[in-house]
Amino acid sequence: MGAKASKTKSKTEVGSELISVPSIDDGHSIPCKIFKPPKKTTVRGAVFFIHGGMFSQGDRDSHPQVSESLAKLGLLVITASFRDGSSTEYTSGKYMQDLKSIARYFRTQNAQRKKQLPFGIVGSSSGGWFALSLVNELEVGEVDYLALLCPVADPYARAVYLQQCIECPSDFAYHVRHEPEKAKCILENQLKFFSTMENMQEATNAVRTSRHNIPTLMLVGAVDKNVPPQVTQHIQNSWATRTISVGGKGHEIQNVLPLDLVSDIDQFLKFIIKDGSK
C-alpha cells in the first residue's frame, strides 16, 4: 500500500524505509518513514509515532532520536508528514483523515503476519493531542497502548498559559514561565492550526475522557515551560495508567529521551507485550 523509496539496514543499527500511504477519501499521498529494529533485535510490537511542532511544524523526520530509541526497544516505528497547520486547518478534518489512514495501513500490513503485532501510538508535544484524538476516533481493539511525551493534551489551557506568559500579569498562576517572545511564537503557530480559542476548547473537550481502557504512559518534565504539568493535569487524571514526572527536566525530553526514560518505556512495554504477539 505504499511505494518504497529507499532502504537502509545493518546488523547493529536501526534500519529505515521511506514509503507513501494514500489518505482515505481524497487519495492524498502521505510521506511516511518506517524505522526497523536492528536485525539481532526481536520485533515485539509496532507503534505510530506522531511528531510535535506547535501543531504547524514537523514531519516524518522529526525527533529521530525518539524514533530510533523506540526501534531499538524492538518496535517497528512509523512516522508521517501528515497534514497539520502547515497545510490545513483544524476544521478541515484533513489531519484526522491522514492519521486514520496510517492506522488503517498498519492494520492491513499487520493482518498479513502470522502473529499480529501489538499496535500502539506515541505522541510528542502537540503530537500528544493528535494521538489522543486518534485513539478516540479508532474502534475498540484497534490500538493496544498509548504513550505521551510532554503532551499538549489541552490546547485551550496551553493557549491561556501562553497568553499569560506574553502579558505577564501580576497574578501569574504557574510555577514556570516561558519567555514572552517564545510564547508568542508558539501561540501563533497553534492558532495557525486551530484559528480560534473556541476551536481549541472544542478540541480539548474531544479528548477530555478516553473512549478506550488501554494502558497509557505519560512522561512530563517537572519544569516544562512549554507545557507546564498543571496545564494538562485533568487529562493525566482521566487517561494515564502511569505518569512519570522528571525532576529538573523540561520540554527537551520530548525530543531527546534520556536513557532512564527509555528504560521506563521498556518496562511499560514489557507489562503490555508478553511474547511479541496479540
Side-chain angles (χ1 to χ4, degrees), residues 6-140:
S6 67
K7 184 185 294 185
T8 60
K9 191 69 173 173
S10 73
K11 292 183 178 180
T12 58
E13 296 181 355
V14 170
S16 65
E17 181 179 355
L18 303 183
I19 65 170
S20 61
V21 174
S23 188
I24 54 177
D25 296 335
D26 65 4
H28 168 76
S29 181
I30 311 166
C32 298
K33 188 172 186 177
I34 297 177
F35 292 82
K36 301 179 180 181
K39 287 185 177 180
K40 294 183 179 180
T41 302
T42 300
V43 178
R44 56 176 174 168
V47 66
F48 177 16
F49 175 56
I50 304 178
H51 68 76
M54 301 178 287
F55 294 95
S56 295
Q57 296 181 14
D59 54 32
R60 65 185 178 185
D61 293 314
S62 300
H63 320 287
Q65 189 268 356
V66 176
S67 297
E68 291 183 5
S69 293
L70 293 173
K72 289 177 181 177
L73 291 177
L75 298 175
L76 284 170
V77 182
I78 186 168
T79 64
S81 301
F82 63 92
R83 285 174 284 187
D84 56 17
S86 63
S87 60
T88 191
E89 294 184 354
Y90 165 74
T91 53
S92 75
K94 296 295 185 183
Y95 69 94
M96 184 55 65
Q97 179 180 305
D98 288 357
L99 297 177
K100 290 175 71 174
S101 297
I102 296 163
R104 176 181 292 178
Y105 168 83
F106 169 77
R107 289 186 63 203
T108 301
Q109 298 298 308
N110 200 28
Q112 299 174 11
R113 301 179 66 96
K114 292 182 179 180
K115 289 186 177 180
Q116 294 189 25
L117 297 172
F119 177 55
I121 299 172
V122 175
S124 179
S125 192
S126 59
W129 178 81
F130 286 116
L132 292 166
S133 298
L134 176 57
V135 169
N136 269 354
E137 285 287 328
L138 296 175
E139 298 298 326
V140 173

Side-chain angles (χ1 to χ4, degrees), residues 178-221:
H178 228 323
E179 299 79 2
E181 285 303 313
K182 182 62 175 177
K184 182 180 179 181
C185 175
I186 296 171
L187 184 57
E188 287 175 349
N189 275 277
Q190 188 165 317
L191 280 167
K192 186 176 180 181
F193 177 66
F194 287 109
S195 299
T196 67
M197 293 292 285
E198 289 76 16
N199 284 339
M200 292 185 209
Q201 184 71 73
E202 178 184 272
T204 296
N205 290 339
V207 300
R208 196 169 292 277
T209 58
S210 173
R211 290 183 57 237
H212 309 288
N213 183 25
I214 59 172
T216 300
L217 174 67
M218 189 174 292
L219 304 177
V220 299

Side-chain angles (χ1 to χ4, degrees), residues 140-157:
V140 173
E142 287 190 277
V143 60
D144 301 300
Y145 58 95
L146 173 67
L148 305 169
L149 314 177
C150 302
V152 187
D154 185 333
Y156 178 81

